[in-house]
Amino acid sequence: MRKRVWWIIAGVVAVIVLVVGVGPWAYAKFLHGDQPDALHLSDDPAAAATGPLDGTWSVSPGSHAGYEVWETLSGQRTFVRGQTDQVTGTAAVENSVLTTGNVKVDVKSIATDDTRRDNMFRTLVMNTASQPTATFEISQPVDLSELPADGTAVTVPVHGTLTLRDQTRDVTTNFQIRRSGQNIETAGAIDTVWTDYQINKPTLFPNIVVEDAGQVQFAIVLSRS
């Protein structure tokens, strides 16, 4: 009888070790799901530009925006990315200077690999029923005079305002930008501290710790209006 009790105790201990030690790894490896690549310029080669740079432009199909957060479960650190193609906006270029530019994102359409996480994001985190959109707008002109016509990408600093959950903050980031045929393509990320926008840190399980900062990411295709 005593031998049997020891076998039971040993089995319980083994299960605890398996859950505590292997559980976080298994979550990151199997339950977490494959995540999409960070948003960036298309891997397809750019074509030489056609037409002038100056003019008015509109956000076109092929544009995406989303977020990236990092989370930790018992020392196992992994990331989550949510993305959407429901993006609109306009831009204007005059004398090779971007004078206006704005992007609007349908936040409720942002999706990850887990519908439970998405439902929490839309309700408790972003409250999309009353605050359905996020926006970015440039606040200073951007010099594009060095933008090549051969499709080569350049990196330019951009100052603007980011609005999340009706909270607007000044931001500065770098855009990668290039011309490709009749389009302008740009991509980048904005480092974001969630509490700056009165956003509760998104989480799915109470034992998963979500980091205080993440990114808003975008890849935008502009076509002539």
Side-chain angles (χ1 to χ4, degrees):
M1 180 69 178
R2 182 177 298 176
K3 185 176 182 180
R4 181 182 178 187
V5 170
W6 278 109
W7 274 109
I8 293 174
I9 294 174
V12 171
V13 170
V15 169
I16 293 173
V17 170
L18 183 65
V19 170
V20 174
V22 180
W25 175 85
Y27 167 79
K29 187 72 174 177
F30 300 111
L31 301 180
H32 180 255
D34 292 333
Q35 298 300 304
D37 291 337
L39 293 174
H40 60 283
L41 292 177
S42 172
D43 293 328
D44 296 332
T50 58
L53 178 61
D54 286 0
T56 56
W57 302 81
S58 298
V59 173
S60 300
S63 299
H64 294 80
Y67 68 87
E68 176 180 293
V69 297
W70 285 84
E71 55 189 27
T72 303
L73 173 61
S74 300
Q76 184 70 45
R77 188 170 183 257
T78 188
F79 63 86
V80 172
R81 292 189 182 116
Q83 297 176 357
T84 180
D85 62 359
Q86 299 301 299
V87 185
T88 58
T90 60
V93 180
E94 184 178 351
N95 296 323
S96 298
V97 174
L98 179 67
T99 56
T100 64
N102 64 83
V103 173
K104 181 181 290 187
V105 180
D106 178 9
V107 178
K108 67 179 179 297
S109 67
I110 296 175
T112 68
D113 62 307
D114 192 302
T115 56
R116 296 169 298 173
R117 180 190 294 113
D118 296 340
N119 289 334
M120 180 175 291
F121 174 79
R122 292 165 188 151
T123 54
L124 299 179
V125 177
M126 295 301 290
N127 190 22
T128 58
S130 61
Q131 296 148 340
T133 60
T135 61
F136 173 80
E137 185 168 1
I138 68 167
S139 57
Q140 297 182 20
V142 180
D143 184 5
L144 300 180
S145 60
E146 301 298 320
L147 184 61
D150 63 1
T152 301
V154 298
T155 300
V156 296
V158 175
H159 301 273
T161 57
L162 177 65
T163 301
L164 303 174
R165 199 164 175 170
D166 284 349
Q167 302 297 310
T168 301
R169 301 290 182 267
D170 293 329
V171 296
T172 301
T173 189
N174 290 323
F175 281 22
Q176 274 197 305
I177 186 168
R178 70 183 184 185
R179 302 186 68 185
S180 182
Q182 298 183 17
N183 297 330
I184 300 174
E185 300 174 355
T186 184
I190 301 170
D191 293 330
T192 305
V193 177
W194 306 120
T195 53
D196 288 349
Y197 298 86
Q198 299 183 13
I199 294 174
N200 296 318
K201 291 189 298 183
T203 185
L204 185 58
F205 300 109
N207 58 334
I208 297 176
V209 178
V210 177
E211 297 185 7
D212 294 333
Q215 286 187 333
V216 172
Q217 301 179 345
F218 55 89
I220 303 299
V221 178
L222 297 168
S223 61
R224 193 172 300 280
S225 299

